[in-house]
Amino acid sequence: MNKAKKIDMTTGPIMKNILLFALPIVLGNILQYLYTTVDTLVIGHYCDYTSLAAVGTSSQPVEVLLCIFLGIGTGVSILISQHTGANDEKGVGTACKTAISFVYLCGIPVSVIGWFMAPVILKFMDVPDDVWQDALLYTRIVLCGAIGNIGYNMNAGILRGLGDSKASLYFLIVSTVVNIILDVVLVGTFKFGVAGVALATGIAMFLAWVVSIVYIRRRYPGLGFTVLPRGIDKGEMKMILTIGLPIGLNNSLFSFGHVALQTLINAQGSAFMAGWSIAGRVTGLANMAITGISSAATTYSGQNFGAGRIDRLKQGQIVIPFANGAITLGFGLIFVLLRFPILSLFSQDPGVLALAGRNVVIMLSCQWMYAVFNSISCIVNGTGKVRYTTLINLMMLWAVRIPSAYLISRFIGGRHLMFCFPISFGFGMLCMIAYYIFSPSWKKLMDTELQEDFNT
């Protein structure tokens, strides 16, 4: 198997490897940000703010249906990183074969289910009448191209598990350029509105999937990676689902929780919806390091777990979350200072800008807690212990964030909804730190030097 461009997390300086692995992912996140930001800019330039609100609120139901499969892709990444750490090339190949088949098995049903469920979910979200038609159109078109999104993310997970984080950056460069061109042509020239943005997104993600297939076949010929499915290995599928399904269900329920939260946002009117949407452009830009470092943490944990390097897990479990929190806080403070020049790129409405600016300050002053929480969760997930992290994720949303949002909306006012985020972030961070300190299972793993002694 070609080992070029792969990072071995079992040796060398921890943070150097983490940052080298994370950098392409962060650059990819910037491209994804550019991807979605161009959508917002084009809609904002050629359409009114109700179209902005439609695109913003439609992203939630799309995530509900796709996130479960993204979680399973994470399961594939973790399993492959463990096989890679154990130098089990046969296991890597079998996991890849199973993942290919799974993409086709799920892609079409997601599109069909999404088409019929979209109006039900949007109705549940209480989408205003002036936003409804565009929101429904956008949601249905994007979900029709779900197989491209699922396929790309599955292949990106395979490559991360192998230690190759640069490849996804190449795919995103291609898809971002295509998306920008199609946005301008379909919306600016042909006046397709939100339908044009949705078509551009679907086509670009499908192209990213195709490019990822070509790359893996050429770069890693030893994997025997095929274009079409060639069967599912029951043992590998069981392992992938055991690890990935809880993560995927958690992601999906988390996104569904955001749908529930979106109902409170929508109740404040389309101007508040637009302000919330463009604030997400700034907070997303400021927090790109979280995803990159957390993805690196998963691969780091999986490879060292597979190799039996518990000594490095002991070091990484402290160093990585601390670094992620510090980096996130630093970027957050910078973007708080720059919030209004950035926000003004999306809207000139004074009311929208005021609401968005306050949202940015509150979110970015507390996002470092989420970075710490997410890093610890990814380190634990990398060892295959996903039950506790899944439970805390669900509690953070359903037992803390949503109830606090409803209480804030009822007793303080809907314009202060964003305060539910720092409350939930603090809860999640404290729970994961407590897992490090008090969990018998984690203590047993950390006190063991050989992998075969700590299978629990």
Side-chain angles (χ1 to χ4, degrees):
M1 186 184 300
N2 191 330
K3 298 183 181 297
K5 300 185 180 181
K6 292 167 60 177
I7 296 176
D8 183 359
M9 296 285 194
T10 62
T11 60
I14 293 175
M15 283 313 301
K16 178 181 178 181
N17 285 340
I18 290 292
L19 293 176
L20 285 174
F21 189 95
L23 182 59
I25 297 176
V26 172
L27 293 175
N29 288 340
I30 293 173
L31 285 174
Q32 286 186 315
Y33 171 85
L34 180 62
Y35 200 109
T36 56
T37 298
V38 168
D39 287 351
T40 307
L41 286 172
V42 169
I43 285 292
H45 182 74
Y46 292 102
C47 307
D48 59 19
Y49 70 80
T50 60
S51 297
L52 272 175
V55 173
T57 197
S58 297
S59 64
Q60 302 298 334
V62 170
E63 287 181 9
V64 168
L65 289 177
L66 292 180
C67 273
I68 188 169
F69 302 103
L70 302 185
I72 293 172
T74 301
V76 171
S77 178
I78 291 171
L79 188 60
I80 287 178
S81 70
Q82 292 179 1
H83 286 318
T84 300
N87 293 316
D88 180 9
E89 294 192 5
K90 182 179 178 181
V92 172
T94 304
C96 288
K97 178 185 73 173
T98 302
I100 294 167
S101 300
F102 190 82
V103 169
Y104 287 90
L105 184 66
C106 298
I108 295 175
V110 167
S111 297
V112 174
I113 293 171
W115 181 272
F116 290 103
M117 287 298 295
V120 176
I121 296 173
L122 292 176
K123 185 175 181 180
F124 170 79
M125 294 169 64
D126 196 24
V127 173
D129 291 340
D130 59 345
V131 177
W132 173 269
Q133 200 58 46
D134 281 344
L136 179 61
L137 184 62
Y138 181 89
T139 304
R140 282 179 161 172
I141 292 175
V142 169
L143 287 175
C144 280
I147 191 170
N149 194 304
I150 294 171
Y152 162 74
N153 282 284
M154 196 72 72
N155 290 351
I158 289 170
L159 290 165
R160 286 195 303 271
L162 291 170
D164 184 349
S165 62
K166 293 182 179 179
S168 298
L169 176 61
Y170 307 147
F171 312 150
L172 285 173
I173 290 173
V174 174
S175 64
T176 299
V177 171
V178 171
N179 185 74
I180 292 173
I181 293 173
L182 290 176
D183 270 344
V184 174
V185 171
L186 295 177
V187 181
T189 302
F190 292 104
K191 310 300 181 183
F192 283 3
V194 296
V197 171
L199 284 169
T201 298
I203 293 169
M205 287 306 299
F206 188 86
L207 182 61
W209 177 39
V210 172
V211 173
S212 71
I213 293 172
V214 174
Y215 177 90
I216 295 174
R217 284 172 58 84
R218 292 185 178 181
R219 180 65 63 180
Y220 302 100
L223 291 178
F225 200 90
T226 58
V227 176
L228 298 175
R230 53 173 183 164
I232 292 177
D233 181 274
K234 293 182 179 179
E236 289 295 306
M237 192 73 253
K238 181 179 179 181
M239 288 298 297
I240 289 171
L241 292 178
T242 298
I243 298 172
L245 191 57
I247 297 173
L249 288 172
N250 171 70
N251 290 344
S252 186
L253 288 171
F254 209 80
S255 293
F256 188 75
H258 285 166
V259 171
L261 185 61
Q262 189 74 35
T263 63
L264 294 175
I265 297 168
N266 294 348
Q268 306 305 313
S270 54
F272 188 84
M273 292 168 65
W276 192 282
S277 178
I278 67 172
R281 300 294 93 215
V282 178
T283 57
L285 182 62
N287 295 309
M288 288 177 180
I290 294 178
T291 302
I293 295 177
S294 296
S295 295
T298 302
T299 300
Y300 173 90
S301 179
Q303 287 190 8
N304 283 286
F305 179 84
R309 291 298 309 274
I310 308 306
D311 56 322
R312 285 178 66 81
L313 272 178
K314 288 181 180 179
Q315 299 173 52
Q317 70 171 345
I318 304 299
V319 172
I320 298 171
F322 178 83
N324 203 359
I327 292 170
T328 300
L329 179 59
F331 277 112
L333 294 177
I334 291 171
F335 281 96
V336 164
L337 296 175
L338 299 175
R339 64 190 184 279
F340 285 117
I342 299 174
L343 291 170
S344 62
L345 296 174
F346 302 97
S347 176
Q348 297 297 320
D349 187 287
V352 170
L353 289 175
L355 291 166
R358 184 174 59 177
N359 194 334
V360 167
V361 172
I362 294 168
M363 290 291 292
L364 293 187
S365 62
C366 69
Q367 199 81 350
W368 65 270
M369 293 186 288
Y370 178 74
V372 174
F373 156 79
N374 204 40
S375 295
I376 298 175
S377 296
C378 288
I379 290 170
V380 174
N381 286 342
T383 67
K385 299 178 181 295
V386 299
R387 292 182 181 179
Y388 181 82
T389 58
T390 300
L391 175 63
I392 297 304
N393 261 294
L394 293 176
M395 289 181 64
M396 188 168 73
L397 179 66
W398 290 99
V400 179
R401 184 178 304 167
I402 293 176
S404 64
Y406 275 89
L407 290 172
I408 291 169
S409 178
R410 180 174 177 82
F411 295 106
I412 301 177
R415 297 301 172 100
H416 302 283
L417 283 173
M418 63 285 298
F419 283 101
C420 69
F421 284 91
I423 295 170
S424 64
F425 291 160
F427 170 82
M429 181 183 70
L430 292 175
C431 285
M432 290 313 303
I433 293 173
Y435 181 81
Y436 270 175
I437 298 172
F438 300 112
S439 169
S441 176
W442 192 254
K443 284 183 178 180
K444 183 178 179 182
L445 191 153
M446 290 295 103
D447 290 340
T448 306
E449 295 299 331
L450 297 175
Q451 179 181 344
E452 58 267 21
D453 293 334
F454 55 73
N455 290 326
T456 58

